[in-house]
Amino acid sequence: MSRIEDSIRVEKDSRGYAFIPYLMSGFPSEEDFIKAGRLLSKYSRVMEIGIPYSDPVADGPTIQLAHNAVLMKKLKLRELIALSSEIKAEKVIMTYYSPIHRTGIDKFVSLINEYGITGLLVPDLPVELAGELVSKCREYKIDNIFLVSPNTREERMRLVSLNSNGFIYVVQRYGVTGESKEVYGPIKEVIVKLRSITNKPIGVGFGVSRGEHIKQLVEMGADAIIVGSHIINTIKNGVDEKKLDEEIKDLLIKLKDKLS
Amino acid sequence: MKGFFGEFGGYYVPEVLIPALEELEKEYNRLKKDEEFQRQLDHYMKNFGGRPTPLYFAARLTDKWGGAKIYLKREDLLHGGAHKFNNAMGQALLAKFMGKKRIIAETGAGQHGVATAISGAALGLETEIYMGSKDGERQAVNVKKMKLLGAKVNLVSKGNGTLKEAINEALRDWAGSVEYTHYLIGSVVGPYPYPEIVRDFQSVISREIKEQINKIEGRLPDAVVACVGGGSNAMGAFYNFINDKSVRLIGVQAGGKGLDLGNNSAPLIIGNTGILHGAKTKVIQDENGNTIDSYSISAGLDYPAVGPEHAYLQSIGRAEYTYALDNEAVEAFLELSKTEGIIPALESSHALAYAKKIANDIGKDGIIIVNLSGRGDKDLDTIMKMGII
């Protein structure tokens, strides 16, 4: 059984959904990244940790800025991954395929395993090209998380579900990461269809930045909500623990009030 | 495996683009055999673009170099001033037949941007171009042309402000607009099926060369030489000769200021096998897989990766890849202008510079064809800034 899936279920039981925050390793600084991660782990059992890459085509301006800022520090891959071991949560590494390919699949997977990472998400690696990576991850009991988009057809959803463990990531709109004003309505059909195919948890992300978004997506059937750009925007000039704490409480509590 | 040339190629892109690539592959394979599509393509190539382009014997240059006969494939005479028209017009027509209302494209030197704007205007498609801000400066005339032709031009100031950043932004645009937009990639790069589609549209170059040289000389050439940035003019010039093993296929990359990292755009010489813009190919990158900025005097070659089919042709030894330095390209630029009355693009000047080096080795009985991929009007500013004229 997947530890990520377990954690999502436990959190869902108590709050109605799991909250998966995204942080970029080493951003805005090494110390502040750890500070933010520790604070967020009070609210979340599963966290996504980005590893920077020079050409992140699935990311909008906010997260691009985080990629670039960390690359300027010229940290080694091992250092970037090691930083996350200071944070207590199930951790999903999110990075592009180029760093993995260059490092070598064996070496990369055993490296993240060494630092207790239990999930891996590669936004530019389609499921049918991921065979070698998936079998290596299975050896180490690391979950692979693949994505479903608003335009993913049913037979592909089955392939994605079959190969994903921990949760399945639904991209809730067309485009790249970044905050948005509202939820993309037609995503409901995607979530409902995916639910009819799989019992694995469904995580929804891209553009989620308000309590109202979370409420709507959970009502549509999301088990977990991923919040990235909104958090990166909140901490980009340094982590003010009080401000971050309020921001998260605001995001999560508003929903709890409305759900109850 | 589908979508690969040997180990190279593939389609390493976000999930949202997968259905679009599948649709493109399906529609392209259907339209390849569609009579009406082929009739219109042929019409635009001939009557709008100016195909076939001449194969010109450069008599004075041949004399001057004193070696093999030099022929120039005059893609510089094509509408828009470069080979880019072959692919842009083909894909724009594809977009129209697929029912897309909008086309977007990246551009380096601006030649592909201009060709896309020309094609978009001719077919009544909304056209938007992404161009690095540094490239926009050094190829300012082309920015003006694109605007004049009705295209919206977005200058991308991120990173190095060159072709790589322009492709990143175009891919991000496409992820959000894929339902009604066709991404008109300008070279044999990017995810499958693009490298194949672009190569097919460009392969008209080698189809014509073969016919023309046969008519003039009654035999195949000894070598075909073309510059390689992304590599579309070279793939076009090589493609129909791949099975003619006696013909040397020579790709010339931009050596820039030399082969040190960061000073050139020669991934086939100094790069690693890596992933960029959806393809596994040769990339100039660091030990963590991050792309290292490329450099070349020529905006159209200033790209840290290369089309996957070139990486494949190199791996099986069918094509040779070398480089020419900035100053060698500039010398060739000046030499062709004065000797033959043809101002070549700085990109194509790299191919000329290398042809000069091998003309004597191949010898007086030999034939070298240089693909003159574009004309050099756009480069006058760059040359004048060097104080040469």
Side-chain angles (χ1 to χ4, degrees):
Chain A
M1 187 63 167
S2 149
R3 280 161 57 181
I4 291 174
E5 181 170 344
D6 280 353
S7 303
I8 288 174
R9 295 205 184 283
V10 170
E11 208 178 312
K12 191 186 170 184
D13 281 346
S14 67
R15 193 198 281 124
Y17 64 95
F19 164 57
I20 305 182
Y22 168 94
L23 289 173
M24 169 67 75
S25 182
F27 183 84
S29 66
E30 287 99 306
E31 300 75 36
D32 272 358
F33 162 72
I34 294 168
K35 218 197 262 179
R38 285 182 176 157
L39 191 148
L40 288 166
S41 67
K42 290 198 298 180
Y43 299 95
S44 164
R45 290 163 187 264
V46 181
M47 236 178 262
E48 252 186 53
I49 310 288
I51 298 293
Y53 170 54
S54 56
D55 299 276
V57 295
D59 286 307
T62 301
I63 294 182
Q64 281 173 44
L65 183 132
H67 280 277
N68 293 338
V70 178
L71 285 176
M72 301 275 273
K73 299 177 200 279
K74 307 233 178 275
L75 295 170
K76 288 196 174 1
L77 185 62
R78 177 179 286 277
E79 294 170 319
L80 287 164
I81 292 167
L83 276 179
S84 65
S85 52
E86 303 285 328
I87 299 166
K88 218 178 136 241
E90 294 303 321
K91 280 151 293 192
V92 176
I93 289 285
M94 179 166 181
T95 193
Y96 287 79
Y97 190 47
S98 182
I100 298 173
H101 180 268
R102 182 63 201 262
T103 306
I105 287 176
D106 280 17
K107 205 174 146 197
F108 186 90
V109 175
S110 79
L111 181 66
I112 62 174
N113 179 65
E114 201 182 311
Y115 290 96
I117 305 295
T118 48
L120 180 59
L121 190 164
V122 189
D124 63 342
L125 184 63
V127 62
E128 65 271 45
L129 298 181
E132 198 185 338
L133 186 68
V134 168
S135 48
K136 198 73 211 170
C137 284
R138 297 240 158 114
E139 256 178 57
Y140 288 99
K141 299 198 164 47
I142 290 173
D143 291 337
N144 291 102
I145 292 125
F146 289 98
L147 296 92
V148 163
S149 286
N151 53 355
T152 304
R153 278 189 294 270
E154 192 175 334
E155 78 262 20
R156 227 184 132 72
M157 280 187 194
R158 289 182 193 280
L159 192 66
V160 165
S161 308
L162 198 68
N163 285 281
S164 296
N165 283 306
F167 67 99
I168 297 160
Y169 192 130
V170 172
V171 175
Q172 76 91 18
R173 57 146 199 239
Y174 284 94
V176 292
T177 58
E179 300 194 43
S180 44
K181 290 209 176 75
E182 48 196 38
V183 164
Y184 178 70
I187 203 63
K188 185 177 176 184
E189 273 176 53
V190 175
I191 296 173
V192 169
K193 186 166 280 173
L194 187 59
R195 177 82 305 149
S196 74
I197 288 172
T198 181
N199 290 321
K200 291 172 185 171
I202 297 175
V204 182
F206 276 46
V208 183
S209 49
R210 298 179 186 177
E212 183 60 27
H213 300 163
I214 300 181
K215 176 174 179 284
Q216 286 177 37
L217 291 167
V218 171
E219 280 170 3
M220 289 177 185
D223 301 302
I225 299 292
I226 302 119
V227 180
S229 295
H230 184 65
I231 291 172
I232 298 292
N233 268 329
T234 307
I235 65 170
K236 67 183 173 195
N237 297 318
V239 173
D240 174 339
E241 282 170 299
K242 203 170 147 240
K243 186 179 152 206
L244 180 60
D245 197 52
E246 274 168 15
E247 195 66 48
I248 300 302
K249 270 192 189 130
D250 201 35
L251 191 70
L252 304 183
I253 282 179
K254 259 187 194 165
L255 168 67
K256 235 181 146 186
D257 291 348
K258 278 177 188 164
L259 275 186
S260 58
Chain B
M1 197 163 152
K2 192 191 105 176
F4 284 82
F5 307 95
E7 66 164 308
F8 301 102
Y11 42 100
Y12 299 91
V13 293
E15 185 62 30
V16 67
L17 297 181
I18 297 284
L21 294 173
E22 285 174 353
E23 183 200 6
L24 180 61
E25 182 192 5
K26 203 175 114 215
E27 288 293 292
Y28 175 65
N29 285 330
R30 182 176 70 79
L31 291 167
K32 249 192 326 200
K33 293 172 220 134
D34 184 271
E35 271 180 33
E36 181 54 21
F37 179 81
Q38 289 303 330
R39 193 191 62 76
Q40 288 196 31
L41 182 63
D42 195 54
H43 161 72
Y44 283 109
M45 286 298 137
K46 258 188 211 152
N47 305 317
F48 186 53
R51 300 218 72 89
T53 59
L55 184 68
Y56 179 68
F57 175 51
R60 282 171 44 82
L61 199 65
T62 301
D63 267 1
K64 198 172 172 211
W65 290 354
K69 281 185 169 177
I70 308 295
Y71 282 88
L72 305 174
K73 179 59 173 166
R74 298 293 308 276
E75 292 299 293
D76 60 315
L77 293 177
L78 200 61
H79 187 26
H83 73 290
K84 294 291 184 189
F85 176 84
N86 300 325
N87 167 56
M89 194 68 226
Q91 277 196 57
L93 202 59
L94 198 60
K96 192 168 184 190
F97 272 70
M98 286 168 70
K100 306 278 180 181
K101 306 262 178 275
R102 176 174 179 259
I103 50 177
I104 56 170
E106 83 295 340
T107 194
Q111 292 302 106
H112 176 58
V114 168
T116 302
I118 284 172
S119 310
L123 297 179
L125 298 166
E126 184 190 337
T127 305
E128 202 162 328
I129 308 293
Y130 290 89
M131 186 176 198
S133 53
K134 176 181 162 192
D135 289 345
E137 251 169 61
R138 56 179 164 172
Q139 312 275 229
V141 176
N142 276 342
V143 176
K144 292 187 184 104
K145 282 187 193 169
M146 288 183 256
K147 287 183 178 165
L148 194 61
L149 290 158
K152 184 178 172 201
V153 182
N154 303 299
L155 294 177
V156 183
S157 57
K158 289 170 189 162
N160 206 17
T162 57
L163 182 59
K164 180 183 78 125
E165 285 76 26
I167 297 181
N168 286 346
E169 284 311 300
L171 282 167
R172 290 179 184 124
D173 177 316
W174 202 33
S177 63
V178 66
E179 290 166 292
Y180 55 91
T181 298
H182 174 68
Y183 178 19
L184 207 159
I185 290 188
S187 191
V188 287
V189 301
Y192 180 82
Y194 280 106
E196 189 177 303
I197 291 177
V198 179
R199 174 254 277 158
D200 286 356
F201 283 130
Q202 292 295 357
S203 67
V204 65
I205 300 173
S206 50
R207 202 157 59 237
E208 286 177 7
I209 293 176
K210 213 169 181 177
E211 220 180 281
Q212 291 165 323
I213 198 70
N214 216 7
K215 219 177 237 172
I216 306 168
E217 295 279 355
R219 71 170 181 96
L220 292 170
D222 296 279
V224 177
V225 185
C227 65
V228 178
S232 70
N233 92 80
M235 264 328 296
F238 292 173
Y239 188 63
N240 288 289
F241 291 110
I242 289 175
N243 293 327
D244 300 310
K245 298 285 160 61
S246 69
V247 182
R248 283 174 67 186
L249 305 175
I250 304 172
V252 186
Q253 295 223 276
K257 296 172 191 158
L259 290 185
D260 302 334
L261 269 184
N263 275 338
N264 61 73
S265 305
L268 286 166
I269 317 291
I270 66 157
N272 291 87
T273 299
I275 313 288
L276 184 63
H277 295 145
K280 185 182 285 184
T281 183
K282 293 288 177 180
V283 185
I284 307 176
Q285 55 176 206
D286 70 14
E287 59 174 16
N288 287 345
N290 294 302
T291 316
I292 291 176
D293 287 332
S294 54
Y295 162 81
S296 168
I297 190 173
S298 137
L301 301 181
D302 197 343
Y303 183 58
V306 63
E309 198 168 4
H310 284 296
Y312 171 67
L313 290 176
Q314 183 185 46
S315 73
I316 59 166
R318 178 60 193 99
E320 316 159 37
Y321 295 89
T322 178
Y323 63 95
L325 299 170
D326 278 358
N327 59 350
E328 295 171 323
V330 170
E331 271 172 42
F333 177 95
L334 298 170
E335 190 170 17
L336 190 74
S337 302
K338 291 212 166 76
T339 313
E340 290 288 351
I342 298 169
I343 303 172
L346 273 174
E347 288 78 10
S348 326
S349 301
H350 286 73
L352 282 166
Y354 193 74
K356 183 177 185 176
K357 284 187 186 170
I358 58 169
N360 273 295
D361 285 348
I362 289 184
K364 277 185 182 298
D365 298 333
I367 297 168
I368 299 175
I369 290 171
V370 177
N371 194 31
L372 205 67
S373 54
R375 69 178 184 218
D377 315 36
K378 66 184 180 62
D379 298 313
L380 293 186
D381 269 0
T382 305
I383 295 293
M384 284 203 245
K385 272 186 196 145
M386 298 174 78
I388 300 169
I389 43 170

